[in-house]
Amino acid sequence: MAGTMHVPRTRGVLSGTLLVLLGLWGGLLPFVGPYADFGFAPDDTWVYDTDRLQLSIAPAIAVTLGGLIVLFSANRALAMFGAWIAVLGGAWFAVGGLVATLWDVEGVGAPLGTDEGRQVAEQLAGFTGLGVLAVFFAALALGRFAVVGVKDAKLNDVGEERTGDGWDRTTGDHDEADHKKTQPIVRSSYGRYGRDSANPTPPPAPLPQRPPDTAPEDQRVAGERFASERGAGRR
């Protein structure tokens, strides 16, 4: 089961990259938004206060850090930990302004837009909508890392079945490095009377030998025996 903790680094590339971009956007918008007349009061760039630290900078750091962990981690548990950090940062983007009123935090400032549509867009881009997107992509990363895919299980099984001599019992193949080590050294000789021995021709099989012909023993016939006995009587 420990082998299933390893995952490919490409598993969290999309979610991690988007989380990093969302974190940077949320952290920089209150400071650089006035350049494009899009952001929050005061209408000056790079204005810092503790309210912006609590409502923008802190959740931006959480989302960015979680996205970096998801992006570069090859360990399932570590990647899920980073995704949870991003979830908390995104949730704080969405509801932090309301919750922070409990300890008298006034907020980052009023939207710079003059009409209602622009003010809504600034609130969504800086806090509520940004937080919802961050939570969505962090949850997507959690789902991808929480499930052990069929491909991951097969790779882990192959790793466990691989023996010390490089033989893979699952696929029946050798490792290329081990296969090269176990190849016999083939020597070939070339010359006037030599020939290439890389593919030696096997010697011809010996022909089967017939057993030697044995002459059958002479057998006497009954007539010959009687004639021999008569000749012996005459003598």
Side-chain angles (χ1 to χ4, degrees), residues 1-6 75 156 160:
M1 189 66 182
T4 59
M5 299 304 292
H6 179 75
N75 182 272
N156 292 321
E160 293 177 358

Side-chain angles (χ1 to χ4, degrees), residues 107-134:
V108 296
L112 296 177
T114 56
D115 56 340
E116 294 182 354
R118 187 171 176 180
Q119 292 178 359
V120 171
E122 290 169 341
Q123 287 288 347
L124 291 176
F127 294 100
T128 309
L130 173 64
V132 170
L133 287 177

Side-chain angles (χ1 to χ4, degrees), residues 24 27-35 40-49 52 57:
L24 294 176
L28 294 176
L29 180 61
F31 300 97
V32 301
Y35 283 117
F40 306 93
D43 194 6
D44 294 325
T45 58
W46 302 105
V47 175
Y48 170 82
D49 55 27
R52 292 189 173 187
I57 299 176

Side-chain angles (χ1 to χ4, degrees), residues 10-233:
T10 57
R11 181 68 59 86
V13 170
L14 177 61
S15 300
T17 302
L18 292 177
L19 287 173
V20 171
L21 295 177
L22 290 174
L24 294 176
W25 169 266
L28 294 176
L29 180 61
F31 300 97
V32 301
Y35 283 117
D37 196 19
F38 186 87
F40 306 93
D43 194 6
D44 294 325
T45 58
W46 302 105
V47 175
Y48 170 82
D49 55 27
T50 56
D51 292 349
R52 292 189 173 187
L53 173 63
Q54 298 180 47
L55 299 180
S56 295
I57 299 176
I61 292 175
V63 174
T64 304
L65 178 61
L68 289 174
I69 295 175
V70 171
L71 179 60
F72 294 106
S73 178
N75 182 272
R76 191 182 304 275
L78 182 60
M80 293 179 67
F81 174 73
W84 275 114
I85 294 178
V87 167
L88 295 177
W92 188 250
F93 266 126
V95 302
L98 297 175
V99 177
T101 57
L102 297 177
W103 52 85
D104 299 330
V105 175
E106 296 180 358
V108 296
L112 296 177
T114 56
D115 56 340
E116 294 182 354
R118 187 171 176 180
Q119 292 178 359
V120 171
E122 290 169 341
Q123 287 288 347
L124 291 176
F127 294 100
T128 309
L130 173 64
V132 170
L133 287 177
V135 171
F136 171 77
F137 288 112
L140 181 64
L142 279 173
R144 287 181 60 83
F145 284 104
V147 177
V148 180
V150 177
K151 183 178 180 180
D152 296 338
K154 289 182 178 180
L155 290 176
N156 292 321
D157 292 340
V158 169
E160 293 177 358
E161 290 292 334
R162 192 173 300 278
T163 58
D165 57 355
W167 181 261
D168 190 346
R169 298 177 183 174
T170 304
T171 60
D173 296 333
H174 278 290
D175 285 343
E176 184 176 357
D178 295 334
H179 181 66
K180 292 181 179 178
K181 293 179 181 178
T182 56
Q183 283 291 331
I185 300 175
V186 179
R187 298 181 179 177
S188 59
S189 59
Y190 296 91
R192 183 176 181 181
Y193 299 103
R195 62 180 182 177
D196 186 8
S197 60
N199 297 315
T201 304
L207 298 176
Q209 297 180 359
R210 295 179 58 185
D213 296 335
T214 56
E217 296 182 357
D218 296 336
Q219 297 181 1
R220 294 182 177 181
V221 186
E224 295 180 353
R225 182 180 180 184
F226 180 74
S228 59
E229 290 177 354
R230 288 184 59 186

